[in-house]
Amino acid sequence: MALAACLFLALESNNTSAKDSLSPIEQYFGQLNDASYDDIGLSYREKAGSIRRIYDESISADQHAEKLASISDHDLKLLYESAHLAAFYTHDQKYLADMQLDLAELVRRGLDSDNNYVDLYATLVSQRKFDDARLLGKQHPAQTFKPLPSYQDLTESTENGPSVLTLSEGQHGLEMNRTTVDLTSPTTQIVVISHPLCGPSSRAMHDIQSDPALSKAFISHARWITPQDGNANFDVLARWNNQNPAFPMSPAYRQDDWPMIDIWATPTFYFLQNGKVVKTVSGWSGQDSRHELEQGLRQIGLLPLKP
């Protein structure tokens, strides 16, 4: 999203007149960009909803081929960035479709850039359109896209609810399977939002591992989940899982399928009873966080209550 911010900063620096001198698309993009940085007191769904509302009310009307043909080059680039921003925060396929529509017009004008394809590839991966991402890679071999593992959906078509991408080594390399998660099972009473590249997540895991009571509970009852994103760090996840087999991480297939999770910042610990969250612990600060985890384990019956 850094490119989007840079575009808007450049836009502001080149326009010294009043804000009303900006085109409507420039103003709407500014509103979207501001909303993307508004984290104060907002859950994941609230922030996504705010971005969706601004986009749908202000930008969607311009996302039609006949309108794009007559729009300025500058505004066309901002429309693409707006669709990318909306897709990034909402994971909604309709914004991916707008990205593809805008990119087609950028290509027609000879204005497409490497960053456009990098953003599109990441969006396809984040929305779990792995075949389309592979096709994009074949169409643009000069781009250094991260290769994707082979993929198979092992869920039933009628199944709803949380699911993850489990990673394993197969005969032909890394394999990725979509599997469901039963949050009412005794083996999933703790959900940890984490990531191998997150320093606090790594420190939390090592502190938990070094504490016999915490380690026993987390090994038997925790599910470590990474947020839905388009970074394609599946090799990093596989390496983490090989090095930490007691604490394997799996990417969430789709965040919206986890309605009980409203904070996807890492690390965040959710303690569940019968699939419902009874305690949440965010961040990691060493001993204080350990005490909070112990409290959560007592609430769900995995540690005895203090006398």
Side-chain angles (χ1 to χ4, degrees):
M1 301 313 300
L3 177 60
C6 289
L7 270 173
F8 188 61
L9 289 174
L11 169 68
E12 290 192 313
S13 66
N14 291 330
N15 287 273
T16 57
S17 56
K19 187 175 181 179
D20 58 10
S21 67
L22 302 177
S23 75
I25 290 175
E26 290 169 335
Q27 294 183 45
Y28 299 147
F29 178 75
Q31 294 173 23
L32 270 181
N33 198 57
D34 289 344
S36 73
Y37 285 99
D38 186 6
D39 290 317
I40 300 175
L42 294 181
S43 70
Y44 148 73
R45 286 179 181 80
E46 289 170 334
K47 184 171 183 176
S50 176
I51 289 171
R52 186 190 302 276
R53 176 184 55 78
I54 295 170
Y55 189 100
D56 291 351
E57 291 178 359
S58 306
I59 293 174
S60 285
D62 289 307
Q63 293 287 21
H64 300 282
E66 58 274 13
K67 284 199 171 185
L68 294 181
S70 60
I71 212 165
S72 73
D73 291 349
H74 180 68
D75 279 358
L76 177 60
K77 292 176 181 178
L78 287 181
L79 281 180
Y80 180 85
E81 291 301 329
S82 297
H84 175 221
L85 191 152
F88 180 88
Y89 284 103
T90 69
H91 305 295
D92 192 320
Q93 294 184 21
K94 69 179 181 180
Y95 304 127
L96 167 61
D98 284 351
M99 287 179 68
Q100 293 169 318
L101 184 68
D102 297 336
L103 182 55
E105 180 62 20
L106 287 168
V107 170
R108 189 185 71 82
R109 300 186 192 186
L111 297 174
D112 53 316
S113 68
D114 290 347
N115 282 332
N116 295 145
Y117 296 104
V118 170
D119 292 342
L120 180 57
Y121 185 83
T123 303
L124 290 168
V125 171
S126 74
Q127 297 197 10
R128 308 318 189 199
K129 294 185 174 296
F130 300 122
D131 288 342
D132 291 342
R134 289 191 186 91
L135 179 59
L136 183 67
K138 290 179 180 178
Q139 292 172 338
H140 300 275
Q143 297 292 331
T144 55
F145 298 130
K146 277 194 171 184
L148 297 173
S150 62
Y151 169 70
Q152 187 175 4
D153 189 340
L154 300 182
T155 64
E156 298 291 337
S157 59
T158 57
E159 286 181 322
N160 295 314
S163 60
V164 295
L165 296 170
T166 57
L167 300 169
S168 61
E169 283 293 337
Q171 289 184 339
H172 304 290
L174 193 61
E175 296 179 349
M176 178 169 58
N177 297 317
R178 181 187 180 189
T179 58
T180 56
V181 177
D182 181 5
L183 293 178
T184 63
S185 167
T187 59
T188 307
Q189 290 178 264
I190 311 160
V191 174
V192 186
I193 309 303
S194 53
H195 198 281
L197 300 180
C198 168
S201 292
S202 296
R203 291 194 295 274
M205 188 278 293
H206 289 300
D207 286 352
I208 291 168
Q209 192 174 38
S210 66
D211 184 302
L214 292 181
S215 180
K216 180 180 179 180
F218 273 76
I219 288 174
S220 300
H221 301 281
R223 172 80 70 156
W224 295 68
I225 305 296
T226 67
Q228 178 185 354
D229 64 32
N231 291 327
N233 288 316
F234 300 110
D235 56 335
V236 174
L237 283 164
R239 187 160 56 250
W240 166 278
N241 293 347
N242 287 334
Q243 295 171 352
N244 304 281
F247 301 92
M249 295 186 185
S250 303
Y253 182 79
R254 187 180 294 113
Q255 288 182 182
D256 284 346
D257 292 340
W258 297 75
M260 72 297 299
I261 305 298
D262 56 6
I263 299 172
W264 286 87
T266 58
T268 304
F269 302 81
Y270 292 89
F271 295 85
L272 293 84
Q273 277 186 328
N274 300 318
K276 295 183 178 180
V277 176
V278 297
K279 183 176 176 62
T280 304
V281 177
S282 297
W284 191 255
S285 57
Q287 193 61 35
D288 289 343
S289 295
R290 284 195 197 194
H291 291 324
E292 288 198 73
L293 295 190
E294 290 171 355
Q295 292 172 12
L297 292 175
R298 290 189 180 95
Q299 281 186 246
I300 61 176
L302 294 181
L303 279 182
L305 295 173
K306 285 186 175 181

